[in-house]
Amino acid sequence: MILQGKTAIITGATRGIGHAIAIRFAKEGCNVAFCGRTRNAAMEAVEAELTALGVKAKGYAADVADYESAQNFVKEVLADFGNVDILINNAGITADSAMKRMSEEQFDKVVGVNLKSVFCMTKAIQPAMWKQGHGSIVNIGSVVGIAGNYNQANYAASKAGIIGFSKSCAKEFAARNIRVNVVAPGFVETEMTADIPKELMDTWCSRIPLKRPGTPDEVAQACVFLASDMCPYITSVVLPVCGGMEDA
Ligand code: NAP
């Protein structure tokens, strides 16, 4: 169990990729503090699922795009768990539209959640990680932040921003042995991609060298590696998990 005895914060773990990361981490012996925007049945179910794997686990209602909410979330986790070794910034949304029709609200909303949440959570955890002199931060980007995509200028901007932000923090935090990396998934089947028409999905898959979408757990495995002590000399990288998609 390569994360045995560690504690991680995972944002947006009530479903999808964040949920898969939480399960993987718990199976690797990691205590997990996670959040979604509201405390609901899904959050309680994830809490129970993780606890059944033999680790300490707790869900928190927090809007990580809100500065105060992120500060309070981390404060509560530190009070409950004592310390945090790993931060996975996974929470994210889409609001797709061609540029011609994209509203200011759609742009602000997506950048406001996807990019600002990474800033808010990094600000909140930095003092504790700085003090303890170690930490691993993994930010979930997207291949879209590298290659761009039709109808996703707002999303691509938010994910490209995460790369620049992460590489800057990697430089600043290295002096305190805090590593900062990005995992950039390609096309992964979750609720976020559930509305994509089957014909479009088939076309995309035909262009992926591995000829299929990724699974949330395949993204989670990359996060385990980057979060763990198996890669103490890896910081500032962008790791695509995308079946070999072009441009990534
Ligand atoms: P998802 O199924 O829609 O899940 C998103 C999660 O984020 C939920 O748990 C949601 O919780 C949480 N969340 C959203 N806004 C939040 C906020 N302001 N504060 C706290 N939690 C918030 O999405 P997913 O497909 O698993 O995506 C996870 C990450 O991977 C995202 O960053 C996404 O951009 C990235 N990604 C996904 C794909 C893909 O193909 N699926 C590809 C590349 C990158 P509540 O609704 O309970 O608040």
Side-chain angles (χ1 to χ4, degrees):
M1 293 208 277
I2 68 172
L3 300 177
Q4 183 73 48
K6 292 187 185 292
T7 297
I9 290 180
I10 305 169
T11 69
T14 54
R15 59 175 184 271
I17 292 172
H19 174 236
I21 297 170
I23 297 290
R24 262 283 163 192
F25 275 40
K27 285 182 177 166
E28 292 296 342
C30 191
N31 299 318
V32 175
F34 68 96
C35 76
R37 282 162 293 188
T38 45
R39 183 159 187 91
N40 52 21
M43 182 178 284
E44 280 164 19
V46 175
E47 219 174 51
E49 208 180 354
L50 297 172
T51 307
L53 290 167
V55 297
K56 178 170 175 172
K58 188 169 173 187
Y60 299 77
D63 177 356
V64 287
D66 179 87
Y67 192 85
E68 282 307 314
S69 178
Q71 289 282 330
N72 290 335
F73 172 33
V74 171
K75 216 176 281 172
E76 281 181 53
V77 173
L78 287 169
D80 293 342
F81 286 76
N83 76 306
V84 172
D85 307 287
I86 299 158
L87 168 63
I88 310 289
N89 281 311
N90 164 79
I93 59 165
T94 52
D96 296 352
S97 164
M99 257 311 280
K100 228 189 215 174
R101 286 182 295 278
M102 188 177 289
S103 65
E104 182 184 7
E105 192 196 356
Q106 275 175 307
F107 184 86
D108 286 348
K109 197 172 155 199
V110 170
V111 174
V113 173
N114 296 2
L115 182 55
K116 193 177 170 203
S117 65
V118 177
F119 167 77
C120 292
M121 287 300 294
T122 305
K123 279 292 282 184
I125 202 66
Q126 184 184 358
M129 283 193 174
W130 208 262
K131 202 167 161 197
Q132 73 197 13
H134 74 268
S136 176
I137 300 175
V138 179
N139 295 322
I140 306 299
S142 167
V143 292
V144 169
I146 303 167
N149 199 17
Y150 295 97
N151 302 325
Q152 289 198 310
N154 52 356
Y155 184 76
S158 72
K159 295 298 186 180
I162 286 175
I163 295 174
F165 180 84
S166 303
K167 284 179 170 281
S168 302
C169 290
K171 285 187 164 66
E172 287 188 31
F173 296 3
R176 293 298 294 161
N177 194 29
I178 301 162
R179 299 180 294 106
V180 187
N181 293 295
V182 176
V183 165
F187 176 39
V188 181
E189 278 183 310
T190 66
E191 268 183 43
M192 186 179 267
T193 52
D195 292 339
I196 297 170
K198 189 178 175 322
E199 308 77 61
L200 187 58
M201 215 147 104
D202 290 346
T203 311
W204 282 357
C205 287
S206 71
R207 294 195 196 123
I208 299 171
L210 285 176
K211 301 287 178 213
R212 63 172 178 85
T215 65
D217 185 55
E218 286 168 331
V219 178
Q221 290 177 50
C223 295
V224 168
F225 173 66
L226 288 173
S228 77
D229 295 333
M230 287 180 78
C231 54
Y233 203 53
I234 298 181
T235 193
S236 200
V237 304
V238 180
L239 176 58
V241 181
C242 63
M245 264 164 127
E246 267 176 52
D247 300 330

